[in-house]
PDB file of all heavy atoms in Angstrom:
ATOM      1  N   GLN A 174      14.755  26.386 -32.369  1.00 88.00           N
ATOM      2  CA  GLN A 174      13.335  26.355 -32.019  1.00 88.00           C
ATOM      3  C   GLN A 174      13.105  26.342 -30.505  1.00 88.00           C
ATOM      4  O   GLN A 174      11.969  26.370 -30.047  1.00 88.00           O
ATOM      5  CB  GLN A 174      12.675  25.132 -32.658  1.00 88.00           C
ATOM      6  CG  GLN A 174      12.683  25.181 -34.177  1.00 88.00           C
ATOM      7  CD  GLN A 174      12.087  23.921 -34.797  1.00 88.00           C
ATOM      8  OE1 GLN A 174      11.381  23.166 -34.136  1.00 88.00           O
ATOM      9  NE2 GLN A 174      12.379  23.704 -36.062  1.00 88.00           N
ATOM     10  N   TRP A 175      14.186  26.266 -29.772  1.00 89.00           N
ATOM     11  CA  TRP A 175      14.089  26.252 -28.315  1.00 89.00           C
ATOM     12  C   TRP A 175      13.561  27.584 -27.798  1.00 89.00           C
ATOM     13  O   TRP A 175      13.809  28.640 -28.382  1.00 89.00           O
ATOM     14  CB  TRP A 175      15.480  25.980 -27.737  1.00 89.00           C
ATOM     15  CG  TRP A 175      15.527  25.883 -26.241  1.00 89.00           C
ATOM     16  CD1 TRP A 175      15.434  24.759 -25.495  1.00 89.00           C
ATOM     17  CD2 TRP A 175      15.683  26.974 -25.329  1.00 89.00           C
ATOM     18  NE1 TRP A 175      15.521  25.071 -24.154  1.00 89.00           N
ATOM     19  CE2 TRP A 175      15.676  26.430 -24.029  1.00 89.00           C
ATOM     20  CE3 TRP A 175      15.825  28.347 -25.470  1.00 89.00           C
ATOM     21  CZ2 TRP A 175      15.801  27.203 -22.888  1.00 89.00           C
ATOM     22  CZ3 TRP A 175      15.950  29.130 -24.337  1.00 89.00           C
ATOM     23  CH2 TRP A 175      15.940  28.561 -23.064  1.00 89.00           C
ATOM     24  N   ALA A 176      12.810  27.557 -26.690  1.00 82.00           N
ATOM     25  CA  ALA A 176      12.359  28.773 -26.022  1.00 82.00           C
ATOM     26  C   ALA A 176      12.321  28.512 -24.521  1.00 82.00           C
ATOM     27  O   ALA A 176      12.058  27.382 -24.093  1.00 82.00           O
ATOM     28  CB  ALA A 176      10.976  29.194 -26.517  1.00 82.00           C
ATOM     29  N   PRO A 177      12.592  29.535 -23.697  1.00 82.00           N
ATOM     30  CA  PRO A 177      12.590  29.315 -22.244  1.00 82.00           C
ATOM     31  C   PRO A 177      11.215  28.913 -21.735  1.00 82.00           C
ATOM     32  O   PRO A 177      10.183  29.391 -22.222  1.00 82.00           O
ATOM     33  CB  PRO A 177      13.022  30.676 -21.681  1.00 82.00           C
ATOM     34  CG  PRO A 177      12.720  31.655 -22.762  1.00 82.00           C
ATOM     35  CD  PRO A 177      12.911  30.926 -24.053  1.00 82.00           C
ATOM     36  N   ASP A 178      11.206  27.994 -20.776  1.00 74.00           N
ATOM     37  CA  ASP A 178       9.979  27.548 -20.105  1.00 74.00           C
ATOM     38  C   ASP A 178       8.925  27.031 -21.083  1.00 74.00           C
ATOM     39  O   ASP A 178       7.733  27.047 -20.787  1.00 74.00           O
ATOM     40  CB  ASP A 178       9.370  28.681 -19.274  1.00 74.00           C
ATOM     41  CG  ASP A 178      10.315  29.172 -18.197  1.00 74.00           C
ATOM     42  OD1 ASP A 178      11.148  28.377 -17.728  1.00 74.00           O
ATOM     43  OD2 ASP A 178      10.217  30.357 -17.830  1.00 74.00           O
ATOM     44  N   SER A 179       9.355  26.557 -22.243  1.00 76.00           N
ATOM     45  CA  SER A 179       8.416  26.126 -23.280  1.00 76.00           C
ATOM     46  C   SER A 179       8.101  24.646 -23.225  1.00 76.00           C
ATOM     47  O   SER A 179       7.184  24.179 -23.903  1.00 76.00           O
ATOM     48  CB  SER A 179       9.001  26.449 -24.663  1.00 76.00           C
ATOM     49  OG  SER A 179      10.188  25.679 -24.877  1.00 76.00           O
ATOM     50  N   GLY A 180       8.874  23.881 -22.455  1.00 78.00           N
ATOM     51  CA  GLY A 180       8.712  22.431 -22.460  1.00 78.00           C
ATOM     52  C   GLY A 180       9.466  21.751 -23.579  1.00 78.00           C
ATOM     53  O   GLY A 180       9.378  20.530 -23.735  1.00 78.00           O
ATOM     54  N   TYR A 181      10.235  22.529 -24.351  1.00 85.00           N
ATOM     55  CA  TYR A 181      10.953  21.970 -25.491  1.00 85.00           C
ATOM     56  C   TYR A 181      12.035  20.991 -25.027  1.00 85.00           C
ATOM     57  O   TYR A 181      12.755  21.244 -24.068  1.00 85.00           O
ATOM     58  CB  TYR A 181      11.607  23.100 -26.293  1.00 85.00           C
ATOM     59  CG  TYR A 181      12.364  22.640 -27.517  1.00 85.00           C
ATOM     60  CD1 TYR A 181      11.708  22.467 -28.728  1.00 85.00           C
ATOM     61  CD2 TYR A 181      13.739  22.381 -27.460  1.00 85.00           C
ATOM     62  CE1 TYR A 181      12.402  22.057 -29.855  1.00 85.00           C
ATOM     63  CE2 TYR A 181      14.431  21.970 -28.579  1.00 85.00           C
ATOM     64  CZ  TYR A 181      13.756  21.810 -29.781  1.00 85.00           C
ATOM     65  OH  TYR A 181      14.449  21.390 -30.894  1.00 85.00           O
ATOM     66  N   ALA A 221      15.905  24.371 -18.340  1.00 90.00           N
ATOM     67  CA  ALA A 221      15.728  25.737 -18.840  1.00 90.00           C
ATOM     68  C   ALA A 221      14.412  25.866 -19.599  1.00 90.00           C
ATOM     69  O   ALA A 221      13.798  26.938 -19.625  1.00 90.00           O
ATOM     70  CB  ALA A 221      16.895  26.128 -19.740  1.00 90.00           C
ATOM     71  N   ALA A 222      13.967  24.783 -20.217  1.00 87.00           N
ATOM     72  CA  ALA A 222      12.676  24.773 -20.905  1.00 87.00           C
ATOM     73  C   ALA A 222      11.613  24.040 -20.107  1.00 87.00           C
ATOM     74  O   ALA A 222      10.429  24.245 -20.313  1.00 87.00           O
ATOM     75  CB  ALA A 222      12.808  24.117 -22.283  1.00 87.00           C
TER      76      ALA A 222
END
Side-chain angles (χ1 to χ4, degrees):
Q174 296 177 18
W175 182 93
D178 300 332
S179 65
Y181 181 87

